Amino acid sequence: MHGRAFFLFSLFWCASTQAGIQFDSTRIIYPAAKREITLALTNNASTPRLLQAWMDNGDPPLRPDTPTVPFIVTPPVFRLNAAKGQTLRIRFIGGNVPPDRESVFWLNVLEVQPKTKHKAKDNNVIQFPVRSRLKLFYRPQGLPGSPGDAVKALRWRLVSAAGQNKIECENPSAFSVSFARISLSEADEQDEGITGMCPAKGRSFFTLPGTGQGKVYYTSINDHGGFIRHHAVYSR
């Protein structure tokens, strides 16, 4: 098992556009009152996949067998046939997490395709594994407010340094806020923008193109993976 786990992990930095695994959610909410939670996934490819699942605390290079998070994922390594499904079980096993705010962790799923036969002239074909990472929000009981209130409570400030504009996002709430897009210009499909997160009771800085006209435009992601557009006035 350990040899297999290291083999899979040694490949995870590779990327591919041929991912066949689909998740039933793009983010995971773990209420502290739950004994465990589950995540369903399906192999939509026409061939089997070998999968490995593990958690990390936001440090992607960590090996799967490095105990850094208070969770276990089962099964950790498994084969999933074409057009079949599998349920991952995630269990909180206790650890030092703050009781007054959400904590954010990451679920990793590494997908390895089987080797395929190619003609002699196609021997230069290379197949790469695909790594997916999903945020997991561990949510203690009794937190004040709600995720929706957290978006409204954000405070924005423009900071200019070395010819670049940085937007500071301060989040005084107990819930982390994720962004599908942040920009200094009116939100539309052609605008440049970046993604990111403002952690609970914390702050983040985002380097944004443009000069800014007194407002920041952002699209938050709710618990169900839905996108909600907002704008706010920033201070200097």
Side-chain angles (χ1 to χ4, degrees):
M1 172 65 75
H2 292 297
R4 177 184 294 177
F6 178 75
F7 168 73
L8 291 177
F9 180 73
S10 68
L11 296 175
F12 79 77
W13 283 112
C14 299
S16 170
T17 58
Q18 301 178 5
I21 300 301
Q22 178 178 334
F23 302 92
D24 71 348
S25 177
T26 58
R27 58 214 292 103
I28 307 164
I29 309 298
Y30 196 129
K34 294 282 189 178
R35 182 171 177 267
E36 67 176 22
I37 60 172
T38 61
L39 177 70
L41 48 86
T42 305
N43 182 3
N44 289 330
S46 58
T47 55
R49 294 292 191 263
L50 181 61
L51 300 172
Q52 181 178 21
W54 74 97
M55 300 285 300
D56 73 58
N57 61 359
D59 188 2
L62 288 177
R63 289 170 47 128
D65 56 359
T66 303
T68 60
V69 296
F71 298 92
I72 56 173
V73 184
T74 55
V77 179
F78 58 97
R79 171 190 168 107
L80 187 58
N81 289 330
K84 298 296 182 179
Q86 173 70 45
T87 298
L88 291 177
R89 298 185 179 277
I90 305 170
R91 178 178 296 183
F92 179 71
I93 56 176
N96 186 22
V97 294
D100 64 339
R101 73 195 72 176
E102 283 185 336
S103 296
V104 181
F105 300 90
W106 293 83
L107 171 69
N108 301 268
V109 178
L110 186 71
E111 170 188 349
V112 179
Q113 304 177 44
K115 291 183 178 180
T116 57
K117 296 180 180 180
H118 299 280
K119 297 179 181 180
K121 65 179 181 179
D122 295 328
N123 285 339
N124 60 340
V125 173
I126 300 176
Q127 293 175 294
F128 296 111
V130 179
R131 180 190 187 190
S132 299
R133 300 184 79 224
L134 283 72
K135 286 178 185 174
L136 182 146
F137 299 87
Y138 183 75
R139 189 169 290 172
Q141 297 184 67
L143 294 181
S146 70
D149 294 335
V151 179
K152 301 173 185 177
L154 297 176
R155 302 165 186 160
W156 301 89
R157 187 168 70 97
L158 182 67
V159 180
S160 296
Q164 287 187 320
N165 288 319
K166 289 183 180 292
I167 282 286
E168 177 191 64
C169 177
E170 182 181 1
N171 182 0
S173 80
F175 299 88
S176 294
V177 180
S178 294
F179 306 107
R181 180 187 175 282
I182 309 173
S183 175
L184 291 178
S185 58
E186 190 73 53
D188 64 40
E189 296 301 323
Q190 303 302 319
D191 272 341
E192 293 185 39
I194 62 173
T195 62
M197 183 183 70
C198 197
K201 296 185 181 295
R203 65 188 65 200
S204 294
F205 291 86
F206 305 97
T207 301
L208 301 174
T211 57
Q213 298 297 323
K215 291 184 179 180
V216 58
Y217 300 86
Y218 56 101
T219 301
S220 65
I221 308 174
N222 64 23
D223 281 357
H224 307 290
F227 292 179
I228 305 173
R229 291 186 174 186
H230 313 266
H231 67 272
V233 176
Y234 59 73
S235 62
R236 293 179 182 268

